[in-house]
Amino acid sequence: MRYQKLTVENFLVFMGEQEINIPDKDGVVVIYGRNGKGKTSLLNAFRWAWTGEVRKRSTRPLPLEDITNKVALAEASGDSVRCRVRLEFEADGTQWDLTRSLIRKGEECCSDLTLRRDSVALSAADAERKVTELMPREIEQFFLFDGELLDQYEKLLDDDNTAGSTLRDAIERILGLPILENAARDSARVAEHAGELVAAAAKRDSKTKKLGQHLDTEQSRLRAFRQNYEAEDQKAKDLEAESAQLDQQLAEQSGKLEIKTRRDETLKLLKEAKTQCDAAEEEFKDLLAESWRAVLVEPIEARIEEDTKALEAIEAQLDELRFAAILARHYKSMGADICPVCESRLDASNRAALEQHLRSSDSSELRAKEDKAAALKASLRRLRESGRGHELRANLKTVEDSYLKLQQKIEDYQEDIDDFEDKLKGQDTGLTDLVQRSKNVSVLLRQAKAAYKDELDKYEQAKKNVAKIEEQIRKTGAGQADPSVYKRQRTAEALADLYRKAIVIYRDQLKESIQERATELFRSMRSESDYVKLAINESYGLRILDRSGTPVEHRSAGYEHLVALSLLGGLQASSPISGPLVMDSPFGRLDEHHVEGVVANLDKLSSQVFLLVHERELPRGTARDLLRGRMLAEFELSRGASAHETNIQELRSV
């Protein structure tokens, strides 16, 4: 199968009619989109076309009345709006045109499915049957891969896990095993019917009448036991499916409980941040009361600098005046003809110069300068004491920064709370009831499995009893049925036995093929060279083996991802049913090295792969380098005129 064109019209975030044209060759189509821009909606477009179902990320179905684009509905103002997905593809040389549409008018909805084979429309019944044949609903998850739901593949490792059992049954369906199982069952029923004819012939003969009646009774018991074990088997499968659904709902509720806890913790942090913010605001107000000091920082600093220079000049003058005063005292005490410094005799000219200098150094000038210096020092002391402007400015800046950071925290906390509240919308408050329902289903499932085994044992014993009675009738030589009846019975029994053996052989061969192919893919994607092989179990779960053959316990989420992708590739290569693979968010758990390993091997997973990815996970340049000639086309999902509109834009096509 190969997709050729996808058209969406007013489907979820895609308003109006938009299309993706796909080159008619093998390779990879990369579709980039940011979170919330329609990658999952595009995956759902393929799903709705095939199954008529749209799912939330939680795997729960989205009501069909909610799939029509909201903007288109608003603009219609009550008039009818068509929501449509059209998928054109080729399968086994035949051209197919599949269209699923929904007409919405007010609260009324009307859905329709059309399927054309080589331009000829099929009847409604034939269309439904053929769509189911081309893509059975039970196996669509192997062609529409949601990377957010990887945990279901991990459950395959647990043989007692009901969700794993449901997935195992889906895997065996894609592998074609139900065909052999149905053939074995139908052959057994043909043999049963032939046995009924043997009993009827024996009852018509007086010699074998009692044996015939006995055989008829055992045949009735055989049919009843078969019907019982088939009914219990179907009940067990239904209960497994219900249990898997309940497990998913419980996982969702557990996730929501965790979200609720995180929301409550964030509410406490928000309250604390608001209290701290209020305190910072009060402190800021108190500091503002003295903010005038901060305004005067520059003028005060200029005045301090000015007075400091003046004080330095006066101090220099004071040094000279004080020295002159000391000289005057020494001069007077030592006599008029003796130098007060070196104590040598002075001539007339030196004495006259000295006396002139001493007369210019008046003591009143010294006192005036000292007073001026004292005044400047007092002024400087007052200026410095009042000059807390720098400290005040620093405190204002610190408090302001703290206040702004707290405001940002409050905004972040509020955004987180809004996000948590959005995720908690529609929360099922009956968690206790859900847990009880899950327990009840588990009990019923165990009972159904036990009843199935019990009824099967009774059936096998009844078969032995029937064989003994038939042998007794044959030995009498009387009351024999037509030889063709015995031939039909032997042939049907041999075929049933052959089909049962074929199931065992085919299942083993398929597992070996899946294991081999999955290991090849895994080795080409993994980074840890010691992880050398994948080993498959009875439920198709894959374990990683190291070089010594020891299973790797507690493997990481990233390697869980690689194993799931390897299983998909192994199934595609080994299954009689194959087709394009649409992958949404396949890199969420992978590091850069593993992302590159997966991208480089995408074309080995399927002949045609559609990769829905955020450019942050896979930059365009990286994708082009890794895929090179295997990239068919690139598209981008971008925001339209509103949050409810996404446009599909083709970037390039090969």
Side-chain angles (χ1 to χ4, degrees):
M1 182 187 297
R2 179 179 291 160
Y3 293 155
Q4 298 166 328
K5 185 177 181 180
L6 175 72
T7 304
V8 290
E9 180 183 2
N10 296 326
F11 178 77
L12 294 174
V13 296
F14 303 107
M15 184 181 173
E17 183 176 299
Q18 303 187 56
E19 59 187 37
I20 293 178
N21 288 292
I22 306 147
D24 189 20
K25 58 191 295 188
D26 293 347
V28 180
V29 176
V30 183
I31 303 171
Y32 303 101
R34 297 174 61 189
N35 293 336
K37 290 297 173 283
K39 297 191 297 296
T40 302
S41 294
L42 205 56
L43 179 72
N44 265 316
F46 286 99
R47 179 179 289 118
W48 190 50
W50 282 118
T51 69
E53 186 178 79
V54 177
R55 291 186 201 153
K56 302 176 183 178
R57 259 279 156 74
S58 62
T59 74
R60 287 188 181 184
L62 183 70
L64 290 184
E65 57 266 26
D66 293 340
I67 70 172
T68 305
N69 182 265
K70 294 179 179 179
V71 178
L73 285 173
E75 291 184 356
S77 301
D79 291 339
S80 62
V81 178
R82 182 175 70 170
C83 169
R84 179 174 67 104
V85 172
R86 179 184 180 189
L87 182 60
E88 298 169 62
F89 60 97
E90 178 271 331
D92 298 326
T94 302
Q95 287 296 129
W96 297 93
D97 188 339
L98 169 64
T99 302
R100 200 178 290 271
S101 59
L102 179 80
I103 304 298
R104 172 87 181 269
K105 185 174 184 180
E107 297 301 319
E108 297 181 358
C109 296
C110 178
S111 60
D112 183 53
L113 170 69
T114 60
L115 180 64
R116 295 179 181 275
R117 178 172 51 202
D118 292 330
S119 301
V120 178
L122 277 63
S123 68
D126 286 345
E128 289 284 1
R129 179 186 57 78
K130 191 62 183 178
V131 167
T132 303
E133 179 184 318
L134 287 166
M135 182 67 73
R137 181 171 297 194
E138 296 86 351
I139 66 171
E140 53 89 6
Q141 62 192 307
F142 301 112
F143 300 91
L144 304 173
F145 177 77
D146 190 341
E148 298 292 329
L149 302 176
L150 280 171
D151 60 317
Q152 59 183 326
Y153 294 93
E154 188 175 4
K155 292 172 182 174
L156 288 170
L157 295 174
D158 184 357
D159 293 329
D160 295 326
N161 188 284
T162 54
S165 299
T166 303
L167 187 59
R168 178 199 62 217
D169 292 341
I171 289 174
E172 295 206 333
R173 184 179 178 90
I174 192 177
L175 295 173
L177 280 166
I179 296 173
L180 291 174
E181 291 170 347
N182 292 339
R185 184 178 64 249
D186 292 343
S187 297
R189 288 184 180 179
V190 170
E192 279 182 27
H193 182 258
E196 292 169 5
L197 296 177
V198 171
K203 286 193 295 183
R204 288 194 296 268
D205 192 305
S206 59
K207 293 182 180 179
T208 55
K209 186 175 182 179
K210 286 186 177 181
L211 284 173
Q213 290 172 341
H214 190 191
L215 178 59
D216 189 50
T217 300
E218 283 300 314
Q219 287 281 7
S220 296
R221 293 179 71 241
L222 185 70
R223 285 194 303 274
F225 293 146
R226 175 179 53 77
Q227 292 169 356
N228 289 344
Y229 84 69
E230 287 178 351
E232 293 298 334
D233 184 41
Q234 186 58 51
K235 184 190 295 185
K237 288 180 178 178
D238 292 342
L239 288 167
E240 282 180 342
E242 184 179 357
S243 179
Q245 187 177 21
L246 288 170
D247 284 348
Q248 183 64 41
Q249 291 178 24
L250 280 170
E252 290 172 34
Q253 292 301 316
S254 297
K256 286 189 174 182
L257 286 176
E258 181 182 351
I259 291 171
K260 186 176 182 298
T261 301
R262 290 171 62 192
R263 181 203 62 186
D264 293 343
E265 290 174 351
T266 307
L267 281 170
K268 288 177 63 178
L269 292 172
L270 176 64
K271 185 177 179 181
E272 291 173 4
K274 284 183 175 180
T275 301
Q276 293 171 0
C277 192
D278 291 342
E281 187 175 6
E282 288 300 318
E283 185 178 358
F284 194 74
K285 288 178 180 178
D286 292 340
L287 289 172
L288 283 177
E290 294 188 52
S291 59
W292 60 271
R293 296 181 184 277
V295 177
L296 295 176
V297 166
E298 283 76 13
I300 289 175
E301 286 185 342
R303 181 61 183 275
I304 288 174
E305 183 179 0
E306 181 183 340
D307 286 0
T308 300
K309 288 181 179 179
L311 180 62
E312 288 174 354
I314 290 174
E315 291 285 2
Q317 294 172 5
L318 282 172
D319 287 343
E320 291 182 6
L321 290 171
R322 290 182 182 122
F323 180 68
I326 292 171
L327 285 178
R329 287 196 298 272
H330 280 282
Y331 183 66
K332 289 178 180 180
S333 64
M334 296 178 68
D337 57 347
I338 300 300
C339 175
V341 176
C342 62
E343 297 183 354
S344 60
R345 288 190 173 277
L346 298 172
D347 57 20
S349 61
N350 287 334
R351 187 169 56 251
L354 178 60
E355 290 176 352
Q356 177 65 32
H357 176 73
L358 292 176
R359 281 196 296 273
S360 65
S361 303
D362 190 359
S363 60
S364 60
E365 184 181 0
L366 176 61
R367 287 192 296 274
K369 294 291 185 183
E370 286 178 340
D371 291 344
K372 183 68 178 292
L376 284 172
K377 289 179 180 179
S379 175
L380 284 169
R381 187 166 54 253
R382 288 193 299 272
L383 286 170
R384 289 189 176 107
E385 287 176 357
S386 64
R388 288 182 53 244
H390 279 298
E391 181 184 348
L392 184 63
R393 278 186 174 180
N395 289 341
L396 279 168
K397 185 72 170 63
T398 300
V399 175
E400 182 183 22
D401 289 346
S402 175
Y403 178 80
L404 292 175
K405 287 179 181 178
L406 287 166
Q407 285 280 16
Q408 185 60 53
K409 274 188 177 182
I410 289 171
E411 288 182 18
D412 293 342
Y413 289 150
Q414 193 60 60
E415 284 183 9
D416 290 343
I417 290 168
D418 291 342
D419 184 49
F420 293 147
E421 292 290 356
D422 186 58
K423 291 177 180 177
L424 288 171
K425 284 180 181 176
Q427 180 179 10
D428 181 8
T429 54
L431 182 60
T432 304
D433 293 340
L434 197 60
V435 171
Q436 189 58 51
R437 281 172 55 200
S438 179
K439 289 180 179 178
N440 293 342
V441 169
S442 296
V443 171
L444 293 174
L445 179 58
R446 286 196 297 272
Q447 292 174 348
K449 287 183 175 180
Y452 166 79
K453 185 177 184 306
D454 185 51
E455 294 297 327
L456 184 60
D457 289 343
K458 292 177 182 177
Y459 174 79
E460 294 296 336
Q461 184 57 50
K463 275 181 65 177
K464 293 177 182 178
N465 295 340
V466 166
K468 287 181 182 178
I469 298 170
E470 287 177 347
E471 181 62 24
Q472 290 174 5
I473 293 172
R474 278 195 288 272
K475 285 181 178 180
T476 64
Q480 302 296 300
D482 187 86
S484 64
V485 173
Y486 293 108
K487 183 177 181 180
R488 188 190 319 158
Q489 185 183 36
R490 288 193 299 271
T491 302
E493 288 175 345
L495 279 174
D497 185 57
L498 177 63
Y499 285 131
R500 293 188 192 99
K501 291 178 180 177
I503 289 171
V504 175
I505 295 171
Y506 183 51
R507 182 181 279 126
D508 290 342
Q509 289 176 343
L510 286 172
K511 286 179 180 176
E512 184 176 347
S513 173
I514 293 169
Q515 177 177 288
E516 181 179 348
R517 181 60 175 157
T519 295
E520 180 184 339
L521 271 169
F522 177 77
R523 287 171 62 89
S524 64
M525 294 187 291
R526 59 91 165 94
S527 60
E528 178 51 69
S529 59
D530 284 341
Y531 295 170
V532 297
K533 186 178 180 180
L534 295 179
I536 197 166
N537 67 5
E538 289 301 311
S539 297
Y540 300 91
L542 293 169
R543 294 189 182 279
I544 302 173
L545 302 184
D546 61 20
R547 292 186 182 278
S548 66
T550 304
V552 175
E553 301 294 340
H554 311 298
R555 61 198 192 194
S556 68
Y559 271 99
E560 195 65 53
H561 203 133
L562 291 183
V563 169
L565 292 174
S566 301
L567 175 60
L568 285 179
L571 289 173
Q572 285 267 357
S574 307
S575 167
I577 303 175
S578 61
L581 178 61
V582 184
M583 307 172 68
D584 181 19
S585 300
F587 302 136
R589 305 181 180 187
L590 302 180
D591 59 29
E592 182 180 348
H593 179 86
H594 283 136
V595 168
E596 292 180 357
V598 171
V599 174
N601 290 278
L602 279 175
D603 58 327
K604 296 178 183 178
L605 296 176
S606 178
S607 60
Q608 195 180 48
V609 176
F610 294 78
L611 181 62
L612 309 173
V613 66
H614 194 303
E615 191 173 356
R616 187 172 54 201
E617 296 175 319
L618 180 64
R620 296 179 193 181
T622 302
R624 292 167 184 169
D625 289 343
L626 292 171
L627 291 171
R628 296 181 183 174
R630 295 165 292 165
M631 180 183 284
L632 298 180
E634 285 180 299
F635 295 85
E636 182 178 23
L637 305 178
S638 58
R639 188 183 189 276
S642 73
H644 300 295
E645 298 176 62
T646 290
N647 296 324
I648 302 174
Q649 178 185 359
E650 183 173 344
L651 299 177
R652 62 180 240 167
S653 180
V654 178

